[in-house]
Amino acid sequence: MNDKPLPETLLPLEVDGVSFRHRGQTLLDDVSLRLGHSGKTVIMGPNGAGKSLLMRLCHGLLSPSAGSIRWADGKAASDPDVRGRQAMVFQRPVLLRRSALSNIRYPLALRGMRRQQRTQRALDALRHFGLAELADRPARVLSGGEQQRLALARAWALQPRILFLDEPTSALDPAATKAVEDAVRAFHAKGTRIVMNTHDLGQARRLADDVLFLCRGRVLEHTPAGRFFDTPSTPEAAAFIRGELVW
Amino acid sequence: MVDGNPFAKALELILGLDQVLVGIVTLSLQVSLTAVLTAALLGLPIGAAVALYRFPGRALVVTVLNALMGLPPVVAGLAVYLLLSRAGPLGSWGLLFTPTAMVIAQTMLVFPIIAALSRQVVEDLWEEYREQLQSLGASRLRAIPTLLWDARFSLLTGVLAGFGRASAEVGAVLIVGGNIDGVTRVMTTAIALETSKGNLPLALGLGIVLLFLVAMVNATAFLIGEGAKRRLG
Amino acid sequence: MVTRVRTLAGRIQLRALLVVIITLALTVPAQTGDRYITLASTTSTEQSGLFAHIIPRFREATGIDVRVVAVGTGQAFSIGRRGDADALLVHDPAGEEAFVADGYGSERRDVMYNYFIIVGPRTDPADIAGVENAVDAMSRIAGTRSAFASRGDDSGTHRAELRLWGLADIQPSGSWYRELGSGMGPTLNTAAGMDAYAVADRASWASFRNRQNLVLLFEGDDVLLNKYASVPVSPRRHPHVRHELALRWHRWLLSDQGQQAIAEFRVDGQAVFFPGAD
């Protein structure tokens, strides 16, 4: 891993005819989509639509029951080169029982970075997210907002080409939510491809370049954000935007 | 007996720092701590591996590990005796009636406790950590030390339980150690010996000393664990 | 930075503890020197303190240490047969002869003797205190169905007790006859606890401290003779045994020096073993 920008060999991501079945239930059905080189994609949809599942499939945490997920040059999700250039921030970050600093150093060590470089990179990331003072604090005693920022800093240190965020603010107060949104913009400004799930319509409006609307395991819309919010093409999306109950 | 009070006897033994007693206490600690250390070095990663990997016969392995927690010390002792006896498969090592044989027997007793607990704790933790660790790029193999380290406070309890079992058992060490004066005599076998001599106050006094020692080891580990837990959340 | 210092302190503590444990572990005494033999012997000899008295004298004379594994005579034979001891000092003449005849022992020599005794509750319900001989005493115990605690562990004492029942033509059974499957000490503890009779060896009795109501009721019959013999384990069956060293022990026991050491041994001022080299 080095600090130079990586050559563009990861994106686009092609999801083709992907289904996911679990215990006889079809949770994702024939999903196809393409994620281009840049931008912030927000995945929306009612609970149980399969948003988190789709994200996990893209990130390679799960394998599809049918269909294919291909990165640039046809690379599979399991390709180590592909895995090493992604990061994901979860709804509830899992932090290790060690200091904030060590939490960031850990994945860098997994990538074989030298000890001294690890610490430097981790400190930079902490500083970037205003966590430098907490470097030696055990990660598990930080507040919820601080923990999520630490998770973002950990992703930051990995310098991913693409960042997945799975409802990163659903458990946070407004101040902490703003910090996360700022972080997303910072990642974007640095050229990181963003894919994010959210329930929060306001947040989607603030952040999305394009919206992927999922309902009952199917992709109903994938359009630029402006068009999605102004002229949704499916009744489900329209109802969802009006704040009605959709399932 | 003139001095029939076991508590007075225990106090006298502790304060008197009797040379023989010090030897017995030291050997007890050495044997049991070595056994626990060995069992932990084997049991923690093996338990974690069973937690993380799916393989044919896994359910059987888990069941056997859990069942072995109740292995009677005498049976463990007998197995090690037959193994190390000159007529047994490892007889040429000449280990019977040595402290090493006692360590082996106690390791057999402690290993299932530590491995079974490690399996349980790591499996629960893996449930919580799996996606995050996979996302960060940790393979299952690489996740093992990470999970063990994060579960260290829960695991410490299991290791202490193992130490309790090791230091309290008499059946195994008596058979494989032979209770040889000055060579393989430990607290529990000394207590058994004094009891059979009808020297009940002395036996009970030794028992109190043993209890005290085990309590000390537990308290030390507990305090360190609690302190670290408070700091690390 | 305060937290950092505290974390560091915690880490050092943990490390220190680990170092202590590992050091303790690594210093587990390995098998030291070759100048020792393993002797399988009986609980009676060990518990009386005889070995603590004579082994230092032997060590002084020869520089050889003796490690005593004290078990029942039956188990001592088994240890010897498996090659796990270099010599035996036991008290079951028939068993010893078989052990030598089967080629496990190189020879059997009488070393010392004492007498078995019959102990029982002070109240003596079977009234054996004044009887003529041991067989009579056993008959009375069985006849009155008085509680009797038997070793039941195939030890020399147990074998002697069974011999006595045989001489009295009695097959002991019933609720009064309790087979304990324990060593001499535990058997005496149990007998004291339930006011039972028991056959014991004099040495164990002399050093037994938990007598409660138990008293010595019968002694002095020649049929109660309890002979201890030394048997070195033969290198023909087990080439690895320390036969040379075991032979020196064997010969020392039979020598004037060894015999005198045995004669000098006292429990509470009382001789409990008598030299008896043949």
Side-chain angles (χ1 to χ4, degrees):
Chain A
M1 197 161 156
N2 57 50
D3 285 312
K4 288 184 203 110
L6 292 156
E8 178 61 77
T9 53
L10 189 66
L11 291 166
L13 170 67
E14 303 272 4
V15 175
D16 187 20
V18 162
S19 297
F20 187 85
R21 282 182 285 276
H22 184 64
R23 291 187 180 154
Q25 271 193 300
T26 300
L27 302 176
L28 279 182
D29 189 11
D30 194 22
V31 169
S32 294
L33 59 97
R34 183 175 191 279
L35 293 179
H37 294 261
S38 64
K40 305 192 288 292
T41 300
V42 170
I43 305 176
M44 303 200 75
N47 273 338
K51 304 190 295 291
S52 295
L53 198 55
L54 178 59
M55 191 168 276
R56 280 165 171 74
L57 286 162
C58 291
H59 188 40
L61 296 178
L62 296 170
S63 304
S65 311
S68 71
I69 294 171
R70 296 275 158 202
W71 298 82
D73 305 331
K75 281 182 187 152
S78 55
D79 192 309
D81 184 42
V82 168
R83 293 302 309 272
R85 293 165 62 193
Q86 311 174 33
M88 180 153 171
V89 172
F90 294 84
Q91 186 175 357
R92 300 175 142 274
V94 172
L95 298 170
L96 303 175
R97 278 200 182 80
R98 47 184 92 184
S99 70
L101 185 67
S102 299
N103 262 282
I104 301 184
R105 278 190 301 213
Y106 176 76
L108 298 176
L110 293 180
R111 274 146 226 244
M113 191 186 271
R114 281 207 312 278
R115 184 177 292 268
Q116 214 174 355
Q117 207 185 349
R118 289 208 288 267
T119 304
Q120 197 48 53
R121 174 85 69 90
L123 282 170
D124 286 347
L126 284 174
R127 215 169 291 134
H128 196 273
F129 288 84
L131 295 166
E133 259 95 276
L134 306 178
D136 296 309
R137 201 73 84 68
R140 291 290 187 112
V141 304
L142 299 178
S143 73
E146 287 167 342
Q147 292 203 9
Q148 195 58 291
R149 256 152 70 210
L150 180 56
L152 285 159
R154 180 166 62 184
W156 183 265
L158 294 175
Q159 302 185 342
R161 178 67 186 86
I162 181 166
L163 174 67
F164 296 97
L165 301 106
D166 186 16
E167 312 227 6
T169 61
S170 65
L172 301 182
D173 63 25
T177 300
K178 175 164 190 313
V180 172
E181 291 184 10
D182 288 346
V184 170
R185 289 191 190 93
F187 270 102
H188 180 244
K190 223 184 157 208
T192 306
R193 184 70 169 86
I194 303 289
V195 181
M196 176 169 167
N197 281 344
T198 184
H199 263 112
D200 180 343
L201 278 167
Q203 184 168 62
R205 282 183 203 274
R206 288 192 294 276
L207 291 176
D209 293 329
D210 57 317
V211 172
L212 190 77
F213 184 72
L214 276 182
C215 198
R216 274 165 279 153
R218 292 177 155 276
V219 178
L220 296 190
E221 302 203 25
H222 187 188
T223 52
R227 198 195 310 163
F228 176 79
F229 288 113
D230 297 339
T231 55
S233 58
T234 57
E236 287 90 346
F240 184 80
I241 292 164
R242 286 197 302 274
E244 289 168 15
L245 292 174
V246 179
W247 58 88
Chain B
M1 292 221 68
V2 187
D3 187 359
N5 184 344
F7 293 97
K9 199 85 208 172
L11 204 64
E12 186 191 313
L13 287 170
I14 294 169
L15 296 180
L17 273 184
D18 172 54
Q19 202 66 46
V20 176
L21 180 72
V22 169
I24 291 176
V25 165
T26 312
L27 185 65
S28 292
L29 284 176
Q30 283 179 331
V31 167
S32 294
L33 288 174
T34 311
V36 169
L37 193 71
T38 315
L41 287 177
L42 294 172
L44 293 176
I46 288 176
V50 173
L52 263 55
Y53 289 95
R54 296 287 174 272
F55 51 89
R58 179 177 178 276
L60 186 72
V61 170
V62 171
T63 311
V64 168
L65 271 184
N66 287 336
L68 281 180
M69 286 201 280
L71 181 71
V74 178
V75 176
L78 198 58
V80 174
Y81 176 83
L82 293 174
L83 207 63
L84 297 183
S85 165
R86 288 290 180 174
L90 304 181
S92 57
W93 295 4
L95 288 177
L96 195 64
F97 304 138
T98 65
T100 311
M102 300 157 82
V103 169
I104 294 172
Q106 290 196 345
T107 303
M108 267 183 66
L109 289 174
V110 177
F111 170 81
I113 294 183
I114 294 182
L117 183 85
S118 165
R119 202 272 310 162
Q120 184 64 58
V121 168
V122 169
E123 200 164 297
D124 291 347
L125 203 60
W126 179 235
E127 188 69 24
E128 187 189 341
Y129 281 28
R130 194 185 63 228
E131 290 193 326
Q132 183 77 69
L133 289 184
Q134 280 179 351
S135 169
L136 293 177
S139 63
R140 274 172 202 256
L141 189 63
R142 182 61 185 78
I144 287 178
T146 306
L147 291 164
L148 287 175
W149 182 243
D150 260 47
R152 58 196 178 275
F153 304 122
S154 312
L155 294 174
L156 184 65
T157 314
V159 171
L160 285 178
F163 176 73
R165 179 152 155 102
S167 56
E169 73 85 24
V170 60
V173 286
L174 191 58
I175 295 177
V176 304
N179 193 24
I180 299 170
D181 191 11
V183 182
T184 57
R185 184 161 298 166
V186 291
M187 292 298 288
T188 52
T189 58
I191 291 169
L193 178 66
E194 291 308 328
T195 305
S196 65
K197 282 170 149 172
N199 227 334
L200 304 189
L202 179 57
L204 202 53
L206 286 169
I208 293 169
V209 174
L210 176 63
L211 198 65
F212 176 72
L213 275 174
V214 174
M216 290 280 283
V217 171
N218 271 278
T220 312
F222 178 79
L223 287 178
I224 289 175
E226 278 303 296
K229 204 190 276 182
R230 254 201 311 282
R231 282 194 308 274
L232 296 177
Chain C
M1 285 298 110
V2 177
T3 49
R4 166 162 244 174
V5 171
R6 214 179 292 140
T7 324
L8 207 61
R11 207 172 296 152
I12 287 169
Q13 255 177 22
L14 250 174
R15 289 217 177 131
L17 185 76
L18 214 62
V19 167
V20 169
I21 290 175
I22 291 171
T23 315
L24 262 175
L26 292 182
T27 52
V28 169
Q31 221 166 339
T32 48
D34 264 352
R35 301 287 290 170
Y36 73 86
I37 61 167
T38 302
L39 175 72
S41 187
T42 68
T43 47
S44 53
T45 39
E46 161 80 351
Q47 291 183 10
S48 67
L50 174 72
F51 289 121
H53 175 77
I54 65 172
I55 287 173
R57 285 167 175 70
F58 172 67
R59 193 168 47 220
E60 210 169 289
T62 61
I64 301 166
D65 200 6
V66 180
R67 298 182 173 180
V68 181
V69 178
V71 291
T73 292
Q75 199 187 337
F77 285 134
S78 148
I79 287 175
R81 258 194 295 275
R82 299 183 67 89
D84 293 324
D86 305 305
L88 311 185
L89 185 66
V90 287
H91 61 149
D92 177 40
E96 291 143 19
E97 264 148 29
F99 189 78
V100 174
D102 292 346
Y104 291 106
S106 56
E107 68 164 344
R108 173 199 178 280
R109 294 288 297 276
D110 284 330
V111 170
M112 60 188 186
Y113 67 93
N114 62 13
Y115 288 91
F116 291 114
I117 55 173
I118 303 174
V119 300
R122 203 181 299 278
T123 52
D124 193 12
D127 197 20
I128 66 168
V131 296
E132 287 289 303
N133 57 52
V135 173
D136 212 14
M138 298 302 268
S139 301
R140 284 179 181 229
I141 292 169
T144 55
R145 300 178 63 80
S146 304
F148 185 92
S150 166
R151 290 278 294 270
D153 66 344
D154 194 30
S155 59
T157 307
H158 184 223
R159 291 176 184 192
E161 175 215 315
L162 293 180
R163 208 170 58 236
L164 287 176
W165 292 121
L167 289 173
D169 208 13
I170 292 167
Q171 289 228 316
S173 67
S175 63
W176 61 277
Y177 185 75
R178 290 157 194 180
E179 274 194 78
L180 302 180
S182 306
M184 193 70 257
T187 301
L188 286 172
N189 276 328
T190 309
M194 60 189 193
D195 283 337
Y197 290 92
V199 170
D201 68 280
R202 172 170 283 287
S204 297
W205 174 251
S207 52
F208 185 67
R209 298 282 171 240
N210 183 34
R211 294 182 184 175
Q212 302 180 42
N213 279 328
L214 233 44
V215 290
L216 170 55
L217 290 173
F218 185 87
E219 62 178 331
D221 188 340
D222 280 349
V223 76
L224 294 176
L225 180 64
N226 177 22
K227 289 203 284 190
Y228 289 84
S230 167
V231 185
V233 174
S234 165
R236 277 189 314 184
R237 287 272 192 171
H238 293 293
H240 65 267
V241 295
R242 300 184 161 94
H243 190 59
E244 284 307 310
L245 302 184
L247 275 182
R248 291 185 66 181
W249 160 253
H250 182 66
R251 291 192 196 115
W252 183 84
L253 283 174
L254 301 170
S255 71
D256 290 347
Q257 209 186 354
Q259 292 284 299
Q260 198 189 338
I262 292 168
E264 282 166 5
F265 174 60
R266 294 282 185 283
V267 174
D268 293 342
Q270 189 186 5
V272 291
F273 293 106
F274 306 100
D278 49 6

